[in-house]
Amino acid sequence: MKKEALIIIDVQNDYFKGGKMELVNPEGAADNIRRVLERSRQKNIPVIYIKHVATDPAAGFLVVNTPGIEINQKVAPVAGEKIITKQYPNSFRETELQEYLQKNGITDLTITGMMTHACVDATTRAAKDLGYNCTVIADACATRDLEVNGEKVDALQVQKALMGALAFYYAAVVTTDQFLN
């Protein structure tokens, strides 16, 4: 029997304007996550927040005991919603996520969050490998410009390439409007 959950990965203050690791258009992604979150709450679909906390200050962002690690107010959790803390891009690595999903009979994951090129990608691939049916909401995710071999890769291209790669095998990739309709 199909049972879904919404996963909101790392929508934390350091990724927004003035944060230590600003992404491209995190506000737009957070607005779309909010829409999906409201639907999930209306339909009593479990919501699971993933919160990255770096214990080493040398990480430079999402460092323990800083305002940057707080979940952004646009998508703030309410009582009863699960929050899982992680220290690696893969939300399953050394966390209780897998145990929690199994205990609650979850089979299908709707994945949103930040950063597309790291935590969203790693978590989606791991979830598929663990047997979950995954849907990634592309415009409810955010990334940033990257560099490879001295060449800048624009955030829009990073996003498109990763969504294309995930859609090839790991997930259904849709927009917020497609998902809600």
Side-chain angles (χ1 to χ4, degrees):
M1 186 173 87
K2 175 182 171 175
K3 185 171 181 191
E4 64 183 292
L6 171 63
I7 307 281
I8 300 174
I9 302 171
D10 301 350
V11 183
Q12 295 167 253
N13 290 334
D14 265 350
Y15 292 135
F16 290 79
K17 187 154 184 66
K20 302 286 186 197
M21 181 61 70
E22 285 184 40
L23 302 182
V24 173
N25 194 23
E27 295 84 4
D31 288 341
N32 286 328
I33 293 167
R34 180 77 195 172
R35 293 171 59 205
V36 175
L37 176 60
E38 288 169 356
R39 173 200 173 262
S40 295
R41 287 174 176 162
Q42 288 167 356
K43 292 189 168 201
N44 293 315
I45 293 169
V47 177
I48 303 160
Y49 288 85
I50 307 296
K51 183 177 181 181
H52 194 104
V53 178
T55 54
D56 181 0
F61 67 104
L62 301 179
V63 176
V64 69
N65 298 325
T66 66
I69 67 166
E70 297 308 317
I71 295 171
N72 189 270
Q73 285 303 303
K74 284 190 177 206
V75 298
V78 297
E81 291 175 334
K82 183 73 173 164
I83 300 172
I84 294 174
T85 301
K86 69 175 176 65
Q87 295 179 329
Y88 299 97
N90 174 354
S91 300
F92 290 91
R93 183 176 171 188
E94 297 178 28
T95 71
E96 63 183 296
L97 180 57
Q98 170 71 337
E99 178 185 330
Y100 182 81
L101 295 172
Q102 287 178 328
K103 185 177 104 183
N104 289 282
I106 305 298
T107 60
D108 292 60
L109 302 177
T110 301
I111 299 170
T112 64
M114 301 174 182
M115 298 188 280
T116 304
H117 66 275
C119 302
V120 171
D121 182 54
T123 299
T124 303
R125 290 171 187 267
K128 178 68 173 182
D129 287 346
L130 289 168
Y132 295 97
N133 299 310
C134 300
T135 299
V136 175
I137 303 179
D139 58 359
C141 296
T143 192
R144 64 192 316 254
D145 296 343
L146 297 177
E147 186 178 309
V148 62
N149 296 324
E151 201 174 324
K152 178 185 168 191
V153 183
D154 181 82
L156 182 61
Q157 297 308 314
V158 172
Q159 185 79 359
K160 282 182 182 180
L162 281 162
M163 290 302 158
L166 290 175
F168 182 77
Y169 173 77
Y170 289 95
V173 176
V174 299
T175 65
T176 302
D177 287 341
Q178 288 169 329
F179 182 79
L180 295 175
N181 295 325

Short mmCIF file of all heavy atoms in Angstrom, two decimals, residues 9-10 15 52 62 86 88-91 111 114-124:
data_model
loop_
_atom_site.label_atom_id
_atom_site.label_comp_id
_atom_site.label_asym_id
_atom_site.label_seq_id
_atom_site.Cartn_x
_atom_site.Cartn_y
_atom_site.Cartn_z
N ILE A 9 14.56 19.21 2.87
CA ILE A 9 15.99 19.10 3.18
C ILE A 9 16.65 20.47 3.33
O ILE A 9 16.67 21.26 2.39
CB ILE A 9 16.73 18.31 2.08
CG1 ILE A 9 16.11 16.91 1.91
CG2 ILE A 9 18.22 18.21 2.38
CD1 ILE A 9 16.64 16.14 0.71
N ASP A 10 17.18 20.73 4.50
CA ASP A 10 18.12 21.83 4.75
C ASP A 10 17.64 23.22 4.31
O ASP A 10 18.44 24.01 3.80
CB ASP A 10 19.46 21.55 4.08
CG ASP A 10 20.12 20.27 4.55
OD1 ASP A 10 19.65 19.67 5.53
OD2 ASP A 10 21.11 19.86 3.92
N TYR A 15 21.42 29.60 3.76
CA TYR A 15 21.25 29.55 2.31
C TYR A 15 20.52 30.76 1.74
O TYR A 15 20.38 30.89 0.53
CB TYR A 15 20.52 28.27 1.90
CG TYR A 15 21.34 27.02 2.13
CD1 TYR A 15 20.78 25.90 2.71
CD2 TYR A 15 22.68 26.96 1.77
CE1 TYR A 15 21.51 24.75 2.92
CE2 TYR A 15 23.43 25.81 1.98
CZ TYR A 15 22.84 24.71 2.55
OH TYR A 15 23.58 23.56 2.75
N HIS A 52 20.77 20.17 8.50
CA HIS A 52 22.20 19.92 8.50
C HIS A 52 22.86 20.78 9.58
O HIS A 52 22.63 21.98 9.65
CB HIS A 52 22.81 20.26 7.13
CG HIS A 52 24.19 19.71 6.97
ND1 HIS A 52 24.47 18.61 6.23
CD2 HIS A 52 25.37 20.12 7.49
CE1 HIS A 52 25.76 18.35 6.27
NE2 HIS A 52 26.33 19.26 7.04
N LEU A 62 26.25 26.56 8.21
CA LEU A 62 25.42 25.59 8.94
C LEU A 62 26.15 25.06 10.18
O LEU A 62 26.07 23.89 10.52
CB LEU A 62 24.98 24.44 8.03
CG LEU A 62 24.17 24.82 6.80
CD1 LEU A 62 23.82 23.58 5.99
CD2 LEU A 62 22.92 25.60 7.16
N LYS A 86 21.39 15.94 10.52
CA LYS A 86 22.40 15.18 9.81
C LYS A 86 23.70 15.96 9.74
O LYS A 86 23.71 17.18 9.97
CB LYS A 86 21.92 14.82 8.40
CG LYS A 86 21.80 16.00 7.45
CD LYS A 86 21.43 15.53 6.06
CE LYS A 86 21.20 16.67 5.11
NZ LYS A 86 22.39 17.49 4.81
N TYR A 88 25.98 14.87 7.00
CA TYR A 88 26.47 14.51 5.68
C TYR A 88 25.42 14.87 4.63
O TYR A 88 24.24 14.98 4.96
CB TYR A 88 26.75 13.00 5.61
CG TYR A 88 27.80 12.55 6.59
CD1 TYR A 88 27.45 12.01 7.83
CD2 TYR A 88 29.15 12.68 6.28
CE1 TYR A 88 28.42 11.61 8.74
CE2 TYR A 88 30.13 12.29 7.19
CZ TYR A 88 29.76 11.76 8.41
OH TYR A 88 30.72 11.37 9.31
N PRO A 89 25.81 15.00 3.35
CA PRO A 89 24.82 15.31 2.32
C PRO A 89 23.69 14.28 2.22
O PRO A 89 22.53 14.65 2.03
CB PRO A 89 25.65 15.34 1.03
CG PRO A 89 27.01 15.76 1.49
CD PRO A 89 27.18 15.07 2.83
N ASN A 90 24.00 13.00 2.36
CA ASN A 90 22.99 11.95 2.30
C ASN A 90 22.21 11.94 3.62
O ASN A 90 22.76 11.61 4.67
CB ASN A 90 23.69 10.61 2.05
CG ASN A 90 22.77 9.42 2.11
OD1 ASN A 90 21.59 9.53 2.43
ND2 ASN A 90 23.32 8.26 1.81
N SER A 91 20.94 12.26 3.56
CA SER A 91 20.11 12.36 4.77
C SER A 91 19.91 11.03 5.49
O SER A 91 19.44 11.01 6.62
CB SER A 91 18.74 12.95 4.41
OG SER A 91 18.88 14.23 3.86
N ILE A 111 10.42 14.94 -2.43
CA ILE A 111 11.67 15.53 -1.95
C ILE A 111 11.79 16.97 -2.44
O ILE A 111 11.63 17.26 -3.63
CB ILE A 111 12.87 14.68 -2.41
CG1 ILE A 111 12.73 13.27 -1.81
CG2 ILE A 111 14.19 15.33 -2.01
CD1 ILE A 111 13.70 12.25 -2.36
N MET A 114 17.38 22.05 -0.25
CA MET A 114 18.62 22.74 -0.59
C MET A 114 19.80 21.89 -0.13
O MET A 114 19.68 21.16 0.84
CB MET A 114 18.63 24.09 0.14
CG MET A 114 17.42 24.94 -0.27
SD MET A 114 17.30 26.45 0.68
CE MET A 114 15.78 27.10 -0.05
N MET A 115 20.88 21.84 -0.74
CA MET A 115 21.29 22.29 -2.04
C MET A 115 21.08 21.15 -3.04
O MET A 115 21.48 20.03 -2.77
CB MET A 115 22.77 22.67 -2.03
CG MET A 115 23.11 23.83 -1.07
SD MET A 115 24.82 24.44 -1.22
CE MET A 115 25.69 23.20 -0.25
N THR A 116 20.55 21.48 -4.20
CA THR A 116 20.26 20.46 -5.21
C THR A 116 21.49 19.62 -5.52
O THR A 116 21.40 18.39 -5.59
CB THR A 116 19.76 21.13 -6.51
OG1 THR A 116 18.63 21.94 -6.21
CG2 THR A 116 19.38 20.09 -7.54
N HIS A 117 22.63 20.27 -5.69
CA HIS A 117 23.84 19.57 -6.15
C HIS A 117 24.50 18.72 -5.07
O HIS A 117 25.42 17.96 -5.38
CB HIS A 117 24.86 20.57 -6.70
CG HIS A 117 25.43 21.50 -5.68
ND1 HIS A 117 24.78 22.67 -5.34
CD2 HIS A 117 26.53 21.43 -4.93
CE1 HIS A 117 25.49 23.29 -4.41
NE2 HIS A 117 26.56 22.56 -4.15
N ALA A 118 24.04 18.79 -3.87
CA ALA A 118 24.66 18.01 -2.80
C ALA A 118 23.60 17.19 -2.07
O ALA A 118 23.39 16.02 -2.38
CB ALA A 118 25.42 18.92 -1.83
N CYS A 119 22.91 17.79 -1.14
CA CYS A 119 22.02 17.05 -0.24
C CYS A 119 20.77 16.51 -0.93
O CYS A 119 20.35 15.39 -0.65
CB CYS A 119 21.68 17.90 0.96
SG CYS A 119 23.18 18.41 1.84
N VAL A 120 20.16 17.27 -1.82
CA VAL A 120 18.97 16.79 -2.52
C VAL A 120 19.37 15.61 -3.42
O VAL A 120 18.70 14.57 -3.42
CB VAL A 120 18.29 17.91 -3.33
CG1 VAL A 120 17.19 17.36 -4.23
CG2 VAL A 120 17.74 18.98 -2.39
N ASP A 121 20.45 15.78 -4.16
CA ASP A 121 20.92 14.72 -5.05
C ASP A 121 21.29 13.46 -4.26
O ASP A 121 20.81 12.36 -4.57
CB ASP A 121 22.13 15.24 -5.84
CG ASP A 121 22.67 14.22 -6.83
OD1 ASP A 121 21.90 13.72 -7.67
OD2 ASP A 121 23.89 13.93 -6.76
N ALA A 122 22.12 13.59 -3.24
CA ALA A 122 22.58 12.43 -2.46
C ALA A 122 21.42 11.71 -1.79
O ALA A 122 21.35 10.48 -1.78
CB ALA A 122 23.61 12.87 -1.42
N THR A 123 20.50 12.46 -1.23
CA THR A 123 19.37 11.86 -0.52
C THR A 123 18.43 11.15 -1.49
O THR A 123 17.96 10.04 -1.20
CB THR A 123 18.61 12.94 0.28
OG1 THR A 123 19.51 13.50 1.24
CG2 THR A 123 17.39 12.38 0.97
N THR A 124 18.16 11.75 -2.64
CA THR A 124 17.27 11.13 -3.62
C THR A 124 17.85 9.81 -4.13
O THR A 124 17.15 8.80 -4.20
CB THR A 124 17.00 12.09 -4.80
OG1 THR A 124 16.44 13.30 -4.29
CG2 THR A 124 16.06 11.47 -5.81
#
